[in-house]
Amino acid sequence: MNMLFVLMLALCALMSPVLASEESEITALFVSANQAYDRGDYADALKGYLDVAARSPASSEAWYNAANAAFRDGATGEAVLYYRRAWFLSPRDADVLANFQLAIQRTGARVPSTSIIDSAATELSQQEWRNVFRSGYWLSFGLAIPLILVPAARRFIKPWLALSLLASGMGLAGWFYWQHGQARAESVVVGGRQVARYEPREQATEFFALPEGSIVQREEIFDQWAKVRAGDQSGWVPASAIQQVNTWK
Amino acid sequence: MKRLFTWCCCLLAGLWVTAEPLHAQQITMEVQPTAIRLNETATLKLNFINLNPPQAPALPDLAGFRVQFVGQEQHFQFTNGRQERRLTFNYQLQPESTGVFQIGPFTLDMNGQKIDIPAVGLEVLPPSGGGADGQQQTLDDMIFARFSLPRNEFYLHERFAIEVSLYYRSLQLHREIQFQNLPSTGLNLENFEELSGGREVVNNEIFEVRRFRMQGVAIASGDVKLDPLLRVHVLVERQRQRDPFFGGFDDFFFGRHSTQPISVAIEPVDIAIRPLPAEGRPANFSGAVGRFNVDMSVQPAEVTAGEPVTLSLRITGIGNFENISMPPVDFGPEFRAYDPKLTSTGRDHKQFEQVFIPRSDRITEVPPAEFTYFNPEQGAYQTITRGPFPLVVKAGERGDLQLVQAPSATTATDRTPLGIDIIDVKRGITPARADPSTNADISPALHLSPLLALAGLMFLQHRRQSIQGDVSRQRRSEAPRSARRALKQAEEALASGNSAALHEAIWQALADYVAHRCNLKAGEVSPDLITGKCRAGGLSEAHREKLDLLLRACEEARFARMGDGESADIMKQRLDHARELLRAMEKVKLT
């Protein structure tokens, strides 16, 4: 047992310089991209931010800055996509929300309607919901031990155990919403205005227009075409014309 | 509630105000029923529709009838926004002789305007006096039913009405009826409804008539035999001894009649369903069978190139509307046409809308639409053409096409400018390598560990609680511990060279061990009991011999003081034997 503990300590000691060096590399890349942004070299800055985002996909700052660079570079559709990703990671970040609204306004696209459940679930990010779940989960076990061993304390422990179980359930539900809910299939129209068609072929009748930056729900993929839903209408657009917001899993 | 009442009043007032003025002034005459017996009366009704006579008109003398004015009724009704007022004068007709009579025609002078009233017929039969010709009546004489079909040959997919008339007399029928033995193939019967009934004279007898109608749809070509049964319920007066105290109560709840079901056979009808002819079938025929009319309109008639225009097409008539789709319009390359939409449908109509966009100002008309259907009455295909419709297209400011924006289950974006520029980039970063949707930062095994720990804890707790309530199990678990304690004392005695204490401790170890294992009191344990328990438990022969020797040595040392002066090796050997024996006894079952 003692040996195992020593081994784990040794592994941590060996790994920490590696991790620290990777973090410093990411930070250096980020700073370098910021400098390019300040110089007005938005294409270079965007490349740098996307490089940072590839190494640190859960960093909302990388996606936010990438969105800013794309916006300055004229790629408004991509900017909406990256703002949306940043919002997925930091749903309460006011900067992200403001810039996202401005980008959407510039494209002429519409913001998807949200239900009460959507609003409640997006108060916290997926990672935050997961932390709520974990906290509730471990706290529940922490409280379950004295509940079993000390019968006299049960009366005092039970309400706290119920609360921690509730928190755990809410955390799991919030995490599930992000993982399998509406956000899962959300995509953004990039590369100019698109026209949704009735069928997945070039000659099919046109149905409705989708401005660049429109947020749609991807319903299915067929060949090189994607069926998307915007509001209460569904149509087919080239699969390359949309990019999924949540690409982490 | 008050608001609802106000709204209702406003609605009624609106209806009254917006209703079209009175029109279609008319006088009609009817007799109910149209067949009576000499000892019955009929009612003649003079209906003044949207007319206002000052008083009931005096009827001329009607030969064979005594006429008496019995009152008037007034009705108002709104139909499709039109107001109709009907004033009815009722006259009772008492026949004086039998025969077929014609009442009218009359001409009435209303404010100088002469209005003709068509004649109506009334048949008067002799008074009822039993069966026809005085013979015994059968049930078939009293109730029967007949089919009424427009013809006996129909075309595939044709819709046609089937009427059934139920004739009965001298019977009272319950309202409920059922059709049985309807055809299950070739013909689909639907939309069953009861029409207004009346009286008819059949074989010189007056019958009450109930009429029913259903829609038949020919769904497969071939011959179909219509041979259904009509199940009706005859009301029969209860034959009961009336209870002087509770009879009224019983009648109130259960009625004075019971029902008796009977099946009425209808004369069978053979129907032939023919396929639609292939000869002369137009290429644009899409399966419509019946009689139809088409109305088509285009709105607006004047647009700018690139603006949408709506084509509305309404098909009305009688037929298989479920098979009807929007007739294709050949818009050509000058138009961009969207798929048509069905906007309204019903049993007698279907309405479509199609949006199209003229691409250039060279367009002057909208191409015609052609609707082809098969007319079963004429046995031929017919085509209705509507259009072309004139369309004025003005040149647009932009040459390109205006697309229709996807509407809106999305909320409208707030178009108020939010600001002139985006907020600046962030200067710091918190590197987060992990995929936000995964648990890569913590091993799943770690998450499982509290579950396992909790399960183990619960198991131990359960075991502890079960042992606490069982003395024998408690003592069983105490046995090795008590033996270890005594052996420790023996070791101390061995170290100090005290043979008596050593043997005392070894005895104590063996005796305590067996007492706990077998749940015995300490005083109950003797060397014989120990050896007996070990034998019964299956201890090996060699171990039993060692046990005998050891117990004897202990007895001698404890009571006869014969062990004093024993060498340390012997004492150690005895202690080793004691340990070995206790280990062996732990493995056998002592009870």
Side-chain angles (χ1 to χ4, degrees), chain B residues 168-413:
Chain B
Y168 62 98
R169 63 181 179 85
S170 307
L171 294 173
Q172 277 186 288
L173 295 188
H174 190 265
R175 183 170 178 76
E176 182 189 342
I177 68 149
Q178 292 168 324
F179 279 94
Q180 296 177 330
N181 197 31
L182 289 170
S184 57
T185 56
L187 205 61
N188 196 14
L189 299 172
E190 57 191 29
N191 298 333
F192 179 85
E193 60 182 342
E194 182 164 1
L195 308 174
S196 58
R199 277 183 169 190
E200 274 187 31
V201 177
V202 180
N203 296 333
N204 222 25
E205 290 288 349
I206 296 175
F207 281 84
E208 302 291 334
V209 186
R210 285 176 69 180
R211 290 191 174 84
F212 307 93
R213 184 168 59 195
M214 58 188 111
Q215 288 288 323
V217 185
I219 54 175
S221 54
D223 294 330
V224 178
K225 186 165 192 170
L226 266 181
D227 187 17
L229 290 172
L230 199 57
R231 189 172 175 82
V232 300
H233 297 267
V234 178
L235 295 175
V236 181
E237 194 163 358
R238 287 174 188 268
Q239 298 294 321
R240 312 183 47 159
Q241 188 72 34
R242 191 173 175 85
D243 189 317
F245 299 103
F246 300 106
F249 177 83
D250 187 54
D251 289 344
F252 179 77
F253 282 101
F254 302 108
R256 295 181 181 176
H257 294 89
S258 61
T259 59
Q260 184 179 343
I262 57 171
S263 293
V264 181
I266 311 176
E267 191 176 345
V269 175
D270 289 315
I271 292 175
I273 299 171
R274 296 162 59 183
L276 296 177
E279 190 181 343
R281 180 183 299 177
N284 62 350
F285 174 70
S286 62
V289 178
R291 284 179 288 116
F292 301 98
N293 191 22
V294 176
D295 294 318
M296 185 172 152
S297 64
V298 171
Q299 288 290 335
E302 188 174 324
V303 291
T304 304
E307 286 183 352
V309 180
T310 303
L311 184 152
S312 300
L313 190 139
R314 183 180 175 87
I315 301 170
T316 53
I318 302 166
N320 57 339
F321 278 94
E322 64 276 6
N323 289 5
I324 291 176
S325 55
M326 169 85 179
V329 180
D330 184 14
F331 284 103
E334 291 289 303
F335 294 89
R336 179 188 291 272
Y338 293 86
D339 287 356
K341 284 185 178 175
L342 177 68
T343 56
S344 171
T345 184
R347 283 166 62 179
D348 59 352
H349 77 280
K350 223 170 191 181
Q351 188 162 333
F352 303 91
E353 278 187 5
Q354 187 168 18
V355 174
F356 62 89
I357 296 172
R359 290 175 188 270
S360 75
D361 56 350
R362 295 187 300 277
I363 294 166
T364 56
E365 62 180 26
V366 179
E370 287 189 341
F371 175 64
T372 297
Y373 65 97
F374 182 78
N375 188 331
E377 290 175 358
Q378 297 182 3
Y381 293 95
Q382 294 183 337
T383 299
I384 299 174
T385 305
R386 293 287 180 264
F389 292 89
L391 182 69
V392 178
V393 182
K394 291 183 282 188
E397 292 177 3
R398 296 168 55 190
D400 61 343
L401 179 68
Q402 290 182 3
L403 285 167
V404 180
Q405 169 67 41
S408 62
T410 54
T411 55
T413 310

Side-chain angles (χ1 to χ4, degrees), chain A residues 56 65 99 130 137 206 233 248, chain B residues 336 407 432 435 438-439 447:
Chain A
S56 176
N65 285 8
N99 285 4
R130 193 182 57 202
Y137 180 78
E206 294 175 354
Q233 289 183 307
W248 294 297
Chain B
R336 179 188 291 272
D435 182 333
T438 63
N439 293 319
H447 285 304

Side-chain angles (χ1 to χ4, degrees), chain A residues 62-76:
Chain A
W63 290 113
Y64 170 81
N65 285 8
N68 274 13
F71 186 85
R72 293 268 188 242
D73 205 28
T76 322

